[in-house]
Amino acid sequence: MSTTPVRTVMAHRSEVADGTPDLRALRRVGRQMARADDTDAVAETFVDACAEELGITLAAVRVYDPRRDALNVIAAAPDATPYLDGWDDHRRGDDRSPAWRAYTTGSREYVEGPQSGTGSDSVSSALYLPLGTHGVAAVATLDDRGFDDLTRSLLETLVSDTTAALDAAADRRGLRGLHDATRAMQATDDPETIAGVVVDATESVLGIPYSGVRLRDVDGDIPLVAVSDAAARDIGVGGDAHGERRAREAFERGEPVMFDEVDDDGSTTQAAPVFSEAAVYPLGDHGTFAVALPEGMPLDGRQRELARVLADNATAALDRTERSVRLREQASTIAAQDERLEEFANVVSHDLRNPLNVAQGRLRLARERAEDPETASDLATVEEALDRMDAIVEDARGLAVGETAADARELSVAAAAERAWDAVETGDAELTVEATGTVTADPGLLSQLFENVFRNAMEHAGEAPHVLVGDGDGDDTDADGERGFAIEDDGPGVPEDERGAVFRVGYSGRDGTGLGLGIVARVAEAHEWSVRIEDGERLGGARFVVEP
């Protein structure tokens, strides 16, 4: 029971001269209950109002406990305590229980005749009034005359207000519970843990004892992975063929399916106790979520809505988990590819660099000794082949670097471009730098980007190309005030239908290694930049635009 029960109704007590309770006082009690924090507080207020406004000292409130499948006392007047066990046992399966009949049928039960209490006192009559889907209010009297019509009418008013207050408290509790459940689902990447959270919330938040979650496996089946204790006890795990068929139906249709214990052919297929109604909600393409109440207890609108919200939140959590798993798998694949590529680069740089250096040294000696023009021409061809091998080695090493902008800092675009130009064999090519902005970048990686675009111009834009480095397009900047940069040449440009392909590793339009622009794309990706090719407006060739 609540440690802070609402006990302010005595301040509003009001009776007419002949002792008849005042309806206005009960209305004030109703407003007081509507502001109560939780179910216990509402029940306490009902019991107090019975005593203070109606003179009924034998009153109690029982609410349904899905774990026990029973009606538990949460509030009782002190005078009623000795009679609680004697009124009835309030459990499913006992046909003698008027409280259970009132709860499951939604109709009040009036019981006359002596019922044992303590000593010589005995209850002469009792009323059991259903409180919606929440439970039952029980009142009794020792007076042989029972309850008169006015008292019964006022009790109906009080019960109506109590039910409305319990609905509101349940809605607040449900929203808080769904919020907590959603946070728990978002905190894990394990689908079966998410399923367990759903089942627990169904019982504790929605007050539904029977629930289960099925998740799709690698074979396309949807086995049961989480089930409530009550469902496992009363229906069994895997023994509900009818429910399994309905789960498959909801999964394939992608929409909720409602059904009862009677199959389409009129036969009853559920294990005892059967349920009056059940609902199966699809969880996207992940599986299904099923809920049901015991026989005689149909799902109400609030439970249906909260179950739908819980299903939607579970679907979102499973979607996120699937994405996380997919991203981890992709990251693992990329890491393995990078590792293999780095191993290859080490082989290239170590095992090929030494014999390449030896060959280049021997070639220089041979050219110095060569007197025959034809021999000199052959040696020049060999030199070109060795130079190309050297370029391939350098490009392969650059591509294999684990590109991360770990040493990013603010750099001048103009200064970076000029340093990179000095590092490339440019011959008679011309560089014009008009860039005035800065970028936040790793110095080594930015240099690789410029060097590879410059080499691309040397290979494809003619013997002595003109290269222009300027600021990015327009006046738009990112959050750091950077607008990127552009590199343009005066070569033939890149056909529009090839502009996406040129950044693929291995693609070469003419005599390149097929690696250089792949490195450009990797460097851009490491900085979370975009890079594209368009027609140059100033020089007329290819224009590489790099934007943060």
Side-chain angles (χ1 to χ4, degrees):
M1 295 173 63
S2 172
T3 57
T4 57
V6 179
R7 293 186 176 278
T8 59
V9 291
M10 288 187 65
H12 302 301
R13 183 179 181 184
S14 175
E15 295 184 356
V16 294
D18 62 359
T20 302
D22 188 351
L23 182 59
R24 289 172 299 179
L26 290 183
R27 289 303 189 194
R28 285 194 293 268
V29 172
R31 290 193 293 272
Q32 181 69 35
M33 285 192 292
R35 295 192 295 270
D37 292 333
D38 53 36
T39 299
D40 288 357
V42 173
E44 294 278 1
T45 304
F46 171 83
V47 170
D48 285 346
C50 284
E52 301 299 334
E53 302 300 338
L54 302 180
I56 300 174
T57 59
L58 300 181
V61 174
R62 292 179 179 266
V63 297
Y64 177 68
D65 179 359
R67 296 180 184 273
R68 296 181 61 242
D69 196 19
L71 295 168
N72 293 342
V73 175
I74 63 168
D79 291 349
T81 302
Y83 298 91
L84 291 176
D85 292 335
W87 287 353
D88 55 74
D89 67 4
H90 309 284
R91 294 187 68 85
R92 177 182 299 280
D94 186 354
D95 294 335
R96 299 170 301 173
S97 170
W100 193 261
R101 290 197 302 272
Y103 177 58
T104 56
T105 64
S107 302
R108 66 181 180 179
E109 290 279 331
Y110 183 64
V111 179
E112 292 183 340
Q115 300 180 61
S116 61
T118 59
S120 60
D121 294 332
S122 60
V123 172
S124 66
S125 59
L127 266 175
Y128 299 89
L129 304 161
L131 299 171
T133 60
H134 307 286
V136 172
V139 295
T141 179
L142 305 179
D143 192 332
D144 292 340
R145 294 174 297 177
F147 298 105
D148 58 30
D149 291 342
L150 177 59
T151 301
R152 293 191 187 197
S153 175
L154 293 173
L155 273 171
E156 293 287 355
T157 298
L158 183 59
V159 163
S160 176
D161 290 343
T162 303
T163 302
L166 289 171
D167 286 342
D171 287 343
R172 290 191 293 270
R173 184 179 69 250
L175 292 175
R176 289 193 299 267
L178 286 180
H179 177 71
D180 292 341
T182 300
R183 292 181 58 184
M185 288 189 286
Q186 294 292 339
T188 180
D189 284 338
D190 179 41
E192 292 194 11
T193 300
I194 292 173
V197 171
V198 171
V199 167
D200 290 343
T202 303
E203 187 173 62
S204 62
V205 178
L206 278 63
I208 298 176
Y210 300 156
S211 66
V213 174
R214 297 174 179 271
L215 294 180
R216 185 191 61 192
D217 60 19
V218 294
D219 297 323
D221 297 326
I222 48 173
L224 196 65
V225 299
V227 63
S228 65
D229 292 340
R233 179 191 67 229
D234 297 338
I235 300 177
V237 178
D240 179 13
H242 185 50
E244 184 175 354
R245 182 168 63 82
R246 293 299 192 180
R248 171 60 65 177
E249 180 182 350
F251 179 69
E252 293 177 350
R253 288 170 51 182
E255 58 186 36
V257 172
M258 308 295 171
F259 63 102
D260 55 25
E261 78 278 14
V262 179
D263 211 337
D264 294 337
D265 60 2
S267 62
T268 299
T269 58
Q270 298 297 337
V274 295
F275 46 79
S276 295
E277 185 180 36
V280 184
Y281 299 87
L283 301 177
D285 59 357
H286 307 288
T288 61
F289 162 48
V291 298
L293 283 171
E295 184 180 17
M297 299 167 58
L299 295 167
D300 64 21
R302 182 186 65 84
Q303 290 170 323
R304 289 173 184 266
E305 179 61 21
L306 291 178
R308 184 193 62 78
V309 173
L310 183 58
D312 289 345
N313 292 351
T315 302
L318 291 167
D319 286 343
R320 181 193 55 78
T321 296
E322 187 175 68
R323 288 194 299 271
S324 297
V325 170
R326 187 164 56 247
L327 288 174
R328 284 197 301 269
E329 291 174 348
Q330 291 175 349
S332 177
T333 300
I334 292 172
Q337 291 174 342
D338 286 346
E339 185 177 353
R340 290 193 297 270
L341 188 56
E342 188 170 357
E343 290 174 357
F344 167 73
N346 289 335
V347 171
V348 169
S349 62
H350 182 270
D351 294 354
L352 295 184
R353 173 61 67 190
N354 289 338
L356 182 61
N357 289 339
V358 171
Q360 289 173 327
R362 294 289 185 178
L363 176 64
R364 283 193 295 271
L365 292 174
R367 294 192 67 178
E368 291 173 0
R369 298 171 183 169
E371 297 179 355
D372 179 34
E374 189 173 330
T375 301
S377 176
D378 291 340
L379 292 176
T381 301
V382 172
E383 184 176 27
E384 290 177 4
L386 291 176
D387 288 344
R388 177 161 174 75
M389 289 176 63
D390 185 69
I392 292 174
V393 169
E394 289 301 315
D395 283 351
R397 291 179 63 190
L399 187 64
V401 173
E403 314 286 24
T404 57
D407 190 27
R409 65 188 75 168
E410 186 175 356
L411 300 173
S412 164
V413 173
E418 289 168 353
R419 283 194 298 270
W421 184 263
D422 292 338
V424 177
E425 291 290 338
T426 56
D428 295 330
E430 177 186 355
L431 174 68
T432 300
V433 178
E434 297 180 355
T436 60
T438 62
V439 291
T440 301
D442 181 282
L445 296 183
L446 182 60
S447 179
Q448 280 191 38
L449 186 150
F450 273 118
E451 289 174 22
N452 280 284
V453 175
F454 292 158
R455 289 195 187 101
N456 183 77
M458 300 305 113
E459 294 173 358
H460 300 288
E463 295 182 359
H466 183 193
V467 179
L468 169 66
V469 177
D471 292 322
D473 294 337
D475 297 325
D476 294 337
T477 62
D478 69 351
D480 297 321
E482 300 174 357
R483 58 178 178 174
F485 53 90
I487 308 168
E488 184 177 344
D489 62 45
D490 60 353
V494 179
E496 189 171 352
D497 59 352
E498 296 182 21
R499 290 174 183 175
V502 297
F503 293 110
R504 293 202 304 264
V505 174
Y507 182 90
S508 178
R510 203 168 67 186
D511 297 325
T513 66
L515 301 177
L517 295 185
I519 295 173
V520 171
R522 289 284 292 272
V523 172
E525 181 182 354
H527 292 84
E528 297 183 355
W529 296 340
S530 65
V531 58
R532 69 178 186 275
I533 300 176
E534 58 186 33
D535 293 329
E537 296 182 358
R538 294 277 299 278
L539 303 182
R543 185 170 187 261
F544 293 79
V545 182
V546 179
E547 296 177 332

